[in-house]
Amino acid sequence: MGILRLSHVEIRVPDLELATAYYTEVLGLLETGRDAERVFLKCWDEHEHHSVILRYAATHGLEHMGFKVEHADDLERFESKVEKEGGQVTRHARGELAPGHGEAIRFQTPTGHRCELVHGMEKVGNLLPRTNPPPRPLGLVGIAPPRLDHIFVTAEDVDEGTRFFREVLGFRLTEQILADDGHQLATWLEVSHTPHDIALVTGPNGGLHHFAFWLDDWNEVRTAADTLAYHGVPIDVGPTRHGATRGYAVYFFDPLGNRNEVFTGGYWVDPDHEVVTWTEAEMGRAIFYYEGAVNQRFLTVHS
Ligand SMILES: [Fe+2]
């Protein structure tokens, strides 16, 4: 019981049609619905109605992030836990927030992010039959990641944000970068036995650093970079390797300024995993192991 994984991200885009063209033709997501201000998308191997929502807005950034809970009564339990912390929680019936949406609660985290927990999103199926399926559908377009993987957000007080995600929402800390004075500069947290479902890094409250899609191996990460270069998409960093998480990744921007990542690798995490710590002096290698440094543009975030 509890939170299973990242369910969806809602991203602000000042040009809905341009964003939809990029996310469907370059990233290769599938459109599953739309209304006047939003377009709903999913990756090919996801079974539920949407994992990315594009929302028309004046600027880029994160509108909200949603996590999937295992049982309907998890929502009630988290509602009272968040309220005990002084948070305000709203409850939403199935289908109220979006087409295909499940029952949900919404609240703001101490890091200034709108957060949602959802149960029972409509299942629309992946692109494969459930009897004798092939490993991959034919005719996928663009990068075509099988699923959303994680989100990386910014917070003024990473220690406090990390405490909230651990104590209130039940995430487990896998890795951290500690400043010389002992405070947390960045943390990686999981519920899905992967190195991270969410990570926090020092920056403005409510900010989005990036959200990431899973790819199955390093070759696919390199092929994704080929696709990005072919389409003239600005590549931020990589293909490269992380120290923290040990993942392989390439970072790039959607045409409206939201940073995306494709990610693979990592390791299995048991609930009794012992935290890995990076020192402030090794922060560059924690983020990009080969480069050993973080470029100035990579530190840019959108709140
Ligand atoms: Fe990432």
Side-chain angles (χ1 to χ4, degrees):
M1 69 185 208
I3 296 175
L4 291 173
R5 60 172 171 82
L6 181 63
S7 160
H8 57 279
V9 293
E10 183 175 20
I11 301 302
R12 300 182 195 124
V13 293
D15 184 333
L16 204 47
E17 290 315 314
L18 178 62
T20 303
Y22 163 84
Y23 280 98
T24 56
E25 291 165 27
V26 179
L27 262 170
L29 308 190
L30 307 160
E31 184 176 328
T32 56
R34 65 165 68 204
D35 59 21
E37 297 195 316
R38 297 176 297 178
V39 173
F40 300 87
L41 305 162
K42 71 183 273 293
C43 300
W44 73 262
D45 201 24
E46 291 170 334
H47 292 263
E48 288 165 345
H49 186 271
H50 53 264
S51 58
V52 174
I53 307 168
L54 307 175
R55 171 179 283 275
Y56 178 69
T59 184
H60 45 53
L62 179 68
E63 186 69 16
H64 85 271
M65 55 186 170
F67 296 93
K68 176 180 178 175
V69 299
E70 187 169 8
H71 299 295
D73 57 12
D74 287 328
L75 296 177
E76 217 165 297
R77 197 165 53 84
F78 282 120
E79 180 179 15
S80 69
K81 286 182 88 170
V82 172
E83 281 175 345
K84 244 179 237 159
E85 286 269 319
Q88 288 201 331
V89 182
T90 56
R91 285 200 84 132
H92 303 272
R94 181 178 301 271
E96 176 192 324
L97 291 169
H101 213 56
E103 195 184 341
I105 61 170
R106 282 187 165 182
F107 52 90
Q108 184 148 316
T109 66
T111 58
H113 296 91
R114 290 189 196 90
C115 187
E116 182 184 299
L117 305 182
V118 61
H119 178 264
M121 195 186 285
E122 182 191 339
K123 295 214 184 229
V124 296
N126 63 0
L127 287 189
L128 301 177
R130 294 181 61 196
T131 303
N132 304 330
R136 186 179 166 88
L138 298 180
L140 295 174
V141 170
I143 295 170
R147 63 181 183 273
L148 184 67
D149 188 74
H150 66 264
I151 186 166
F152 211 117
V153 297
T154 63
E156 288 171 17
D157 187 341
V158 172
D159 291 86
E160 168 58 12
T162 301
R163 184 200 66 77
F164 180 85
F165 278 93
R166 294 176 79 180
E167 290 181 10
V168 181
L169 299 183
F171 283 77
R172 297 178 288 262
L173 181 66
T174 57
E175 304 204 28
Q176 60 184 348
I177 303 174
L178 287 186
D180 294 339
D181 68 5
H183 79 271
Q184 289 171 321
L185 292 167
T187 55
W188 286 257
L189 298 133
E190 64 85 24
V191 283
S192 66
H193 305 283
T194 65
H196 61 334
D197 295 287
I198 185 168
L200 308 177
V201 64
T202 308
N205 268 0
L208 171 67
H209 190 275
H210 66 266
F211 59 102
F213 297 94
W214 176 262
L215 291 177
D216 285 336
D217 61 37
W218 169 237
N219 270 341
E220 290 197 9
V221 173
R222 291 188 299 139
T223 304
D226 292 342
T227 304
L228 295 167
Y230 175 83
H231 286 286
V233 173
I235 291 179
D236 187 23
V237 185
T240 187
R241 183 169 205 167
H242 296 302
T245 78
R246 299 187 213 144
Y248 301 95
V250 55
Y251 288 89
F252 46 100
F253 290 96
D254 77 15
L256 292 315
N258 296 297
R259 188 186 279 101
N260 298 161
E261 178 190 11
V262 287
F263 177 91
T264 193
Y267 49 84
W268 180 259
V269 183
D270 278 345
D272 61 355
H273 170 85
E274 292 178 26
V275 177
V276 170
T277 296
W278 297 82
T279 59
E280 185 170 354
E282 289 296 303
M283 181 168 179
R285 284 213 275 193
I287 306 291
F288 296 123
Y289 195 72
Y290 301 149
E291 293 84 348
V294 179
N295 70 30
Q296 197 52 43
R297 187 169 59 170
F298 194 74
L299 299 173
T300 310
V301 296
H302 310 304
S303 53

